[in-house]
């Protein structure tokens, strides 16, 4: 029985493109008593694997915490797999405001001691005695109250690119570090102030609100569903966004834009920028903010040292990082003396620039690439290619992409074609198609149909 991934990220990307179907990025969590997390984990894997659900999920005796990518057509079936368990009936699924078909490229479900590493001893306080949940409109209203203190329970690299106006943004790398810091910082306001907290999807606040009530805070509130749900509600209800900038997310996208304010700078040159990059050097993987110009000049690296390392033979790179403890490399790091324009701790609400959505190559267009078939032959003198259609339809007027290791990526609009030797305007699975190609194609090349869809 297969309870693990068998495909590489590249193979999974190709299958997703081949399917040509919209996928939804979503997250959810639930605190509950799970007697056998391993059995629960295996059952979920079998059910989700059948639905082509991908993502990262943690399961523990205290509950479940998941970030997922699910085919839109399987969304209700996916919900049914959750609601088969009593503690997840009616569960809120936080659907992202921006989608990327490649947000997750494998299905990972891990059994952990806790679904969030909070460092707390749950036996010492009532984890069910949580704060008051606030929807977006209520959250906006309480922020206007001068008696309110709002706290960001995310890490420094998250709050740097976006946060609620006037929020306390602890300079921490982990959630567990923020709890004692905030408790000490606000110890004189336990009786009379509104302690209002928020995080990405709500799960950190669920535990933090109970902790702070145990610490003696009388008026504790939390943003229901976190920033993800807030962004959805303000859009649906046409509310003012008190959150400014981007919301950092833990998938391939590394962020989804809530407002067009850019609050942060490229850590290398200081230009207004809020796009995160992971250093290409596998011995570093530093998470940092990098503009497109520096990204090109530094080839996705955080420093000249890392750039030089990536240009070494692979065997030498492996030798250099041998014996180094890197742990969970991708998101743990976010600070380095090499980053001249890094900011954390007390952050400004001042916008440095406005995001130009139309010109931002990372936000502008989502290119849907669907595999249609492959090259069968190329007639050099006539400059005509022969293709076998193996998936979906090909029509006159379609924008197509012919791609291969030597050919590269060549795009053209189909003006005329012969289908099984006869001129036709449409071809389906099993048809052999010939049309003029103003460049040489090879047997290793593949034929794709592409469409440009606004995100």
């Amino acid at each position: 029985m297969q309870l693990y991934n068998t495909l590489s990220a590249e193979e999974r990307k190709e299958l997703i493109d081949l399917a040509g179907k919209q996928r939804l990025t979503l997250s959810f969590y639930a605190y509950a008593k799970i007697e056998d997390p391993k059995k629960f984990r295996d059952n979920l894997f079998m059910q989700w694997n059948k639905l082509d659900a991908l993502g990262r999920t943690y399961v523990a005796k205290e509950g479940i915490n998941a970030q997922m990518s699910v085919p839109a057509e399987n969304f209700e079936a996916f919900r049914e797999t959750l609601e088969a368990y009593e503690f997840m009936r009616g569960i809120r699924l936080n659907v992202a405001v921006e989608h990327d078909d490649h947000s997750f490229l494998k299905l990972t479900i891990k059994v952990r001691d806790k679904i969030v590493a909070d460092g707390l001893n749950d036996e010492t306080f009532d984890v069910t005695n949580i704060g008051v949940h606030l929807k977006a409109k209520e959250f906006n209203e309480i922020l206007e109250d001068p008696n309110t203190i709002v706290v960001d329970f995310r890490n420094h690299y998250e709050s740097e690119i976006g946060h609620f106006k006037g929020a306390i943004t602890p300079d921490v790398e982990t959630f567990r570090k923020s709890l004692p810091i905030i408790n000490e910082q606000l110890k004189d306001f336990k009786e009379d102030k509104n302690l209002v907290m928020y995080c990405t999807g709500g799960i950190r606040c669920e535990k933090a609100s109970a902790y702070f009530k145990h610490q003696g805070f009388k008026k504790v509130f939390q943003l229901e569903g976190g920033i993800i749900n807030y962004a959805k509600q303000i859009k649906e209800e046409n509310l003012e966004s008190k959150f400014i900038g981007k919301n950092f997310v833990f998938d391939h996208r590394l962020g989804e834009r809530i407002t067009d304010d850019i609050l942060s700078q490229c850590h290398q040159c200081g230009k207004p920028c809020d796009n995160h990059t992971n250093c290409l050097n596998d011995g570093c993987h530093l998470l940092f903010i990098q503009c497109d110009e520096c990204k090109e000049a530094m080839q996705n690296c955080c420093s000249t040292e890392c750039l030089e390392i990536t240009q070494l033979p692979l065997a030498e790179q492996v030798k250099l990082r041998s014996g180094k403890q890197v742990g969970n490399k991708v998101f743990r790091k976010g600070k380095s003396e090499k980053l001249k324009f890094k900011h954390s701790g007390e952050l400004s609400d001042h916008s440095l620039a406005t995001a130009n959505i139309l010109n931002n190559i990372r936000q502008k267009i989502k290119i849907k690439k669907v595999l249609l078939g492959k090259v069968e032959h190329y007639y050099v003198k006539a400059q005509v290619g022969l293709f076998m259609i193996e998936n979906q339809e090909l029509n006159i007027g379609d924008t197509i992409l012919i791609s291969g290791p030597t050919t590269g990526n060549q795009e053209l609009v189909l003006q005329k074609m012969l289908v099984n030797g006869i001129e036709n305007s449409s071809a389906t699975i099993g048809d052999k198609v010939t049309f003029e190609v103003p460049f040489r194609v090879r047997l290793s090349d593949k034929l794709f149909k592409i469409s440009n869809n606004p995100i």
Side-chain angles (χ1 to χ4, degrees):
M1 185 182 299
Q2 180 193 326
L3 295 174
Y4 54 89
N5 291 276
T6 59
L7 298 175
S8 67
E10 289 304 315
E11 289 171 325
R12 181 69 70 179
K13 281 182 181 179
E14 187 168 317
L15 282 179
I16 289 173
D17 290 339
L18 176 63
K21 297 176 180 177
Q22 182 189 10
R23 299 183 69 91
L24 302 177
T25 302
L26 56 94
S27 62
F28 64 92
Y29 68 89
Y31 280 100
K33 188 175 182 180
I34 299 175
E35 295 291 344
D36 190 342
K38 175 63 167 58
K39 182 179 179 182
F40 178 65
R41 176 263 176 209
D42 291 348
N43 287 339
L44 288 181
F45 193 101
M46 287 186 289
Q47 294 177 74
W48 291 356
N49 197 41
K50 292 175 185 177
L51 298 175
D52 192 26
L54 306 172
R56 183 190 305 112
T57 298
Y58 299 131
V59 173
K61 288 188 175 182
E62 67 172 359
I64 181 172
N65 179 20
Q67 295 85 40
M68 304 293 297
S69 168
V70 180
E73 65 181 15
N74 292 342
F75 180 75
E76 290 305 324
F78 178 78
R79 183 189 290 277
E80 289 175 7
T81 67
L82 305 180
E83 297 196 342
Y85 299 92
E86 186 175 352
F87 73 89
M88 286 195 285
R89 287 175 189 165
I91 191 170
R92 180 187 62 249
L93 301 180
N94 287 332
V95 180
V97 293
E98 296 177 356
H99 297 287
D100 184 331
D101 290 346
H102 298 156
S103 58
F104 290 101
L105 295 172
K106 62 180 179 179
L107 176 58
T108 303
I109 309 178
K110 294 184 178 181
V111 175
R112 293 283 181 86
D113 292 331
K114 287 195 170 190
I115 55 177
V116 176
D118 51 40
L120 299 175
N121 181 355
D122 294 352
E123 302 299 322
T124 62
F125 65 101
D126 183 0
V127 296
T128 65
N129 184 24
I130 60 177
V132 177
H133 282 225
L134 300 175
K135 296 187 183 301
K137 185 178 180 181
E138 299 166 324
F139 196 83
N140 280 0
E141 290 172 352
I142 203 169
L143 292 187
E144 295 296 327
D145 187 339
N147 207 42
T148 291
I149 297 175
V150 60
V151 181
D152 190 326
F153 276 97
R154 301 172 304 150
N155 303 325
H156 63 85
Y157 52 83
E158 300 173 80
S159 56
E160 184 178 8
I161 61 170
H163 50 265
F164 278 96
K165 297 175 183 178
I168 295 173
T169 52
D171 188 10
V172 295
E173 294 185 31
T174 63
F175 170 53
R176 70 171 66 194
K177 289 181 180 179
S178 66
L179 296 173
I181 291 174
I182 294 301
N183 189 40
E184 175 62 25
Q185 190 172 342
L186 303 181
K187 63 182 180 181
D188 295 330
F189 304 103
K190 294 183 178 182
E191 295 288 336
D192 55 344
K193 294 290 186 180
N194 299 321
L195 176 57
V196 180
M197 56 187 68
Y198 69 90
C199 57
T200 307
I203 187 170
R204 283 177 270 191
C205 293
E206 200 78 4
K207 184 67 71 71
S209 66
Y211 169 78
F212 282 103
K213 289 185 74 173
H214 174 70
Q215 292 297 318
F217 287 85
K218 303 300 183 185
K219 303 174 184 179
V220 181
F221 303 85
Q222 62 193 93
L223 179 58
E224 182 177 280
I227 303 164
I228 296 174
N229 197 41
Y230 178 86
K232 181 181 178 183
Q233 288 181 358
I234 62 171
K235 187 175 181 180
E236 292 174 345
E237 300 174 29
N238 196 28
L239 302 173
E240 176 192 358
S241 177
K242 300 288 188 179
F243 184 96
I244 49 176
K246 284 173 76 174
N247 179 30
F248 186 93
V249 291
F250 291 84
D251 59 55
H252 171 76
R253 298 170 298 153
L254 294 180
E256 56 180 17
R257 185 161 296 287
I258 308 300
T259 71
D260 59 7
D261 301 284
I262 297 178
L263 307 180
S264 50
Q265 298 171 275
C266 171
H267 287 163
Q268 292 175 319
C269 72
K271 176 182 177 181
C273 176
D274 54 11
N275 293 322
H276 276 100
T277 294
N278 277 113
C279 181
L280 189 64
N281 176 15
D282 283 335
C284 176
H285 265 303
L286 184 72
L287 181 70
F288 67 107
I289 297 173
Q290 187 177 47
C291 69
D292 291 327
E293 289 80 4
C294 288
K295 191 178 185 70
E296 182 177 357
M298 297 297 294
Q299 299 178 36
N300 283 54
C301 292
C302 70
S303 64
T304 53
E305 292 87 348
C306 282
L307 178 59
E308 290 170 359
I309 289 173
T310 61
Q311 295 171 348
L312 295 173
L314 182 58
E316 289 188 39
Q317 293 186 46
V318 172
K319 187 177 180 180
L320 283 173
R321 62 178 182 264
S322 177
K324 290 184 179 180
Q325 181 62 41
V326 289
N328 183 11
K329 297 179 292 186
V330 178
F331 296 115
R332 179 166 295 169
K333 299 178 182 178
K335 294 183 180 180
S336 169
E337 293 180 359
K338 302 168 187 174
L339 306 179
K340 298 179 181 179
F341 297 93
K342 164 70 183 173
H343 299 289
S344 59
E346 188 173 339
L347 300 173
S348 171
D349 295 339
H350 177 65
S351 178
L352 301 177
T354 299
N356 189 339
I357 304 300
L358 294 178
N359 292 331
N360 189 330
I361 62 172
R362 304 192 195 192
Q363 298 286 339
K364 178 178 65 172
I365 294 295
K366 179 181 181 180
I367 298 177
K368 178 76 70 176
K369 183 175 71 172
V370 181
L371 181 63
L372 292 180
K374 60 185 180 182
V375 174
E376 294 274 300
H377 190 69
Y378 182 65
Y379 303 94
V380 179
K381 290 185 178 180
Q383 287 193 309
V384 168
L386 171 63
F387 302 83
M388 171 64 76
I389 304 300
E390 299 176 334
N391 179 60
Q392 296 202 4
E393 289 188 354
L394 175 64
N395 299 290
I396 295 297
D398 284 344
T399 300
I400 59 175
L401 178 74
I402 300 173
S403 179
T406 304
T407 306
N409 294 312
Q410 302 287 347
E411 184 179 321
L412 55 89
V413 177
L414 188 60
Q415 304 289 349
K416 179 181 178 181
M417 67 177 170
L418 299 181
V419 181
N420 300 322
I422 302 172
E423 186 171 345
N424 207 325
S425 61
S426 181
T428 59
I429 296 173
D431 288 339
K432 289 192 175 184
V433 175
T434 53
F435 53 83
E436 288 187 11
V437 183
F439 47 85
R440 185 182 180 91
V441 295
R442 297 156 181 85
L443 293 180
S444 58
D445 292 349
K446 293 182 180 179
L447 175 67
F448 296 88
K449 177 164 62 177
I450 64 175
S451 63
N452 294 336
N453 301 311
I455 289 180

